[in-house]
Amino acid sequence: MSNTSFKNRDIISIKDLSNEEINTLFSYAKKMIPYAKGEKHLKTLEGRILSTLFFEPSTRTRLSFESAMNRLGGRVIGFADAGGTSIKKGESLTDTIRMADAYSDAIVIRHHQEGSARLAAEFATHPVINAGDGAGQHPTQCLLDLFTIVTEKKTIHGKHVVLLGDLKYGRTVHSLAYALARFKAQLTLVSPETLRMPKEVIEECREQNVEPVSTTSLEKAIKDADVLYVTRIQRERFPDESEYKRVAGTYKIDLELLKQAKEDLIIMHPLPRVTEIDPAVDKTHHALYFKQAFNGIPVRMALLSLILGGRKP
Ligand code: NCD
């Protein structure tokens, strides 16, 4: 496969990329690490402009896309709150997209509606990257999650990954469960009964010949886990606040629980965390979530560089 296959591509779902393409991307991302840290400098995307359109809150995704573009010598325009745009005057999403398309070379979009990024891609002539569409997909988070597992564990194949928390509304776990199945991980899904993984995602795992085990018991699942992927209960997506209150705080990762874990267990979290990981865990060698968040930069640098057709690092 040639690297040119990434050029001008939309990234709406992790399904848009083959395993081979993901591996190619990861070898680029690995090379990007010293540039991502600012130890070396690149001007690969000098003169190029990225739009970041964030209709929903974001810290890591927006800042790491912006940092990645800047580290590549490119520039960024956009907004972190649609309240300051003509959307407030009643402008449609598609007209907003047309404008960003006219003003930049690629668009990163986060929007509360499922399918919004796909719609944006239909209207934009330039590549569109989905940075989260409601409870739908978050493909670049999935890429940095996979990159983190591969970097720490050498391979995904055969590793026991536990996905924990809000598997119903958490978009990061939807992309990730499917991708992990495609890379042949062993999956355990731990959630409250009401926040189970959607049937379609389980079906997609089965199509990859991976049968996820579903349980509500974290104690059972943690014992032979290689990776524990924790998620926040997605309060903003509950139709009813009392339903949120019923499940909030169901799981908490603390030092006591970790006594049952394997010595080399890694704990990941897309962040932000609320109460699901005790800060005392941060100091243990299990805590990988801040490194995982950093990995967003080299992975997004590699992706932007390949999509916008920059030279190799
Ligand atoms: C996640 C998201 O926005 O889906 N955060 C992220 O992008 N790192 C997870 C969350 O909000 O809980």
Side-chain angles (χ1 to χ4, degrees), residues 274-290:
V274 190
T275 54
E276 57 278 2
I277 302 179
D278 185 334
V281 173
D282 300 359
K283 290 193 215 68
T284 70
H285 66 277
H286 300 294
L288 244 289
Y289 27 94
F290 295 121

Side-chain angles (χ1 to χ4, degrees), residues 60-61 110 138 141 171-172 232 234 270-272:
R60 278 146 292 272
T61 305
R110 168 171 289 187
H138 192 350
Q141 178 70 42
R171 54 192 169 204
T172 70
R232 174 179 70 90
Q234 310 275 300
L271 302 177

Side-chain angles (χ1 to χ4, degrees), residues 109-209:
I109 180 172
R110 168 171 289 187
H111 194 276
H112 44 87
Q113 250 163 25
E114 273 187 60
S116 51
R118 182 77 64 199
L119 179 76
E122 275 164 28
F123 281 82
T125 57
H126 291 109
V128 171
I129 302 175
N130 182 6
D133 61 327
Q137 303 285 317
H138 192 350
T140 62
Q141 178 70 42
C142 181
L143 289 170
L144 76 91
D145 293 342
L146 295 174
F147 181 74
T148 303
I149 300 174
V150 174
T151 307
E152 298 303 316
K153 296 286 180 195
K154 309 281 174 268
T155 177
I156 297 171
H157 193 114
K159 296 293 175 212
H160 180 197
V161 182
V162 175
L163 303 180
L164 171 76
D166 187 345
L167 307 184
K168 179 177 180 183
Y169 296 118
R171 54 192 169 204
T172 70
V173 280
H174 298 163
S175 301
L176 187 60
Y178 161 78
L180 286 169
R182 235 174 54 183
F183 280 98
K184 303 285 173 262
Q186 201 191 318
L187 291 179
T188 301
L189 310 175
V190 185
S191 71
E193 287 291 352
T194 52
L195 296 179
R196 291 175 87 140
M197 186 66 89
K199 284 199 183 67
E200 313 84 77
V201 180
I202 298 202
E203 209 36 62
E204 286 171 355
C205 294
R206 288 190 181 131
E207 280 163 21
Q208 306 304 318
N209 297 317

Side-chain angles (χ1 to χ4, degrees), residues 18-313:
S18 67
N19 285 11
E20 196 192 358
E21 285 171 329
I22 291 173
N23 288 330
T24 302
L25 181 80
F26 288 174
S27 53
Y28 273 88
K30 211 169 157 192
K31 289 187 195 142
M32 287 293 183
I33 290 173
Y35 302 94
K37 289 182 174 165
E39 294 163 1
K40 291 183 177 181
H41 302 283
L42 276 175
K43 292 211 180 297
T44 326
L45 295 184
E46 195 169 25
R48 315 302 294 280
I49 298 176
L50 177 71
S51 287
T52 55
L53 313 184
F54 280 71
F55 295 85
E56 274 197 330
S58 171
T59 299
R60 278 146 292 272
T61 305
R62 187 173 64 84
L63 294 185
S64 65
F65 261 114
E66 296 192 358
S67 175
M69 190 63 181
N70 280 292
R71 293 274 195 219
L72 290 164
R75 287 178 182 261
V76 182
I77 59 170
F79 53 83
D81 178 359
T85 72
S86 286
I87 296 269
K88 259 294 204 226
K89 301 180 189 169
E91 187 161 52
S92 65
L93 174 64
T94 48
D95 280 0
T96 307
I97 295 301
R98 283 189 175 101
M99 293 305 102
D101 192 41
Y103 300 155
S104 64
D105 303 302
I107 298 170
V108 173
I109 180 172
R110 168 171 289 187
H111 194 276
H112 44 87
Q113 250 163 25
E114 273 187 60
S116 51
R118 182 77 64 199
L119 179 76
E122 275 164 28
F123 281 82
T125 57
H126 291 109
V128 171
I129 302 175
N130 182 6
D133 61 327
Q137 303 285 317
H138 192 350
T140 62
Q141 178 70 42
C142 181
L143 289 170
L144 76 91
D145 293 342
L146 295 174
F147 181 74
T148 303
I149 300 174
V150 174
T151 307
E152 298 303 316
K153 296 286 180 195
K154 309 281 174 268
T155 177
I156 297 171
H157 193 114
K159 296 293 175 212
H160 180 197
V161 182
V162 175
L163 303 180
L164 171 76
D166 187 345
L167 307 184
K168 179 177 180 183
Y169 296 118
R171 54 192 169 204
T172 70
V173 280
H174 298 163
S175 301
L176 187 60
Y178 161 78
L180 286 169
R182 235 174 54 183
F183 280 98
K184 303 285 173 262
Q186 201 191 318
L187 291 179
T188 301
L189 310 175
V190 185
S191 71
E193 287 291 352
T194 52
L195 296 179
R196 291 175 87 140
M197 186 66 89
K199 284 199 183 67
E200 313 84 77
V201 180
I202 298 202
E203 209 36 62
E204 286 171 355
C205 294
R206 288 190 181 131
E207 280 163 21
Q208 306 304 318
N209 297 317
V210 170
E211 183 65 47
V213 174
S214 294
T215 171
T216 53
S217 167
L218 174 59
E219 283 69 23
K220 271 192 216 147
I222 200 171
K223 290 195 175 74
D224 72 332
D226 298 302
V227 179
L228 174 62
Y229 188 97
V230 187
T231 63
R232 174 179 70 90
I233 309 278
Q234 310 275 300
R235 182 177 197 158
E236 67 278 25
R237 307 216 190 279
F238 281 69
D240 177 2
E241 177 77 8
S242 64
E243 182 54 28
Y244 166 75
K245 290 209 172 102
R246 236 171 42 77
V247 287
T250 309
Y251 301 107
K252 183 150 189 154
I253 312 302
D254 57 18
L255 298 178
E256 192 52 39
L257 178 84
L258 288 177
K259 287 184 186 153
Q260 303 177 52
K262 275 188 175 176
E263 174 55 26
D264 61 352
L265 169 78
I266 60 169
I267 303 172
M268 296 171 62
H269 192 309
L271 302 177
R273 69 170 149 182
V274 190
T275 54
E276 57 278 2
I277 302 179
D278 185 334
V281 173
D282 300 359
K283 290 193 215 68
T284 70
H285 66 277
H286 300 294
L288 244 289
Y289 27 94
F290 295 121
K291 188 168 179 201
Q292 174 190 358
F294 164 78
N295 285 340
I297 309 236
V299 168
R300 291 180 171 119
M301 283 177 81
L303 189 67
L304 288 171
S305 172
L306 288 169
I307 288 177
L308 288 169
R311 294 182 306 276
K312 289 185 190 180

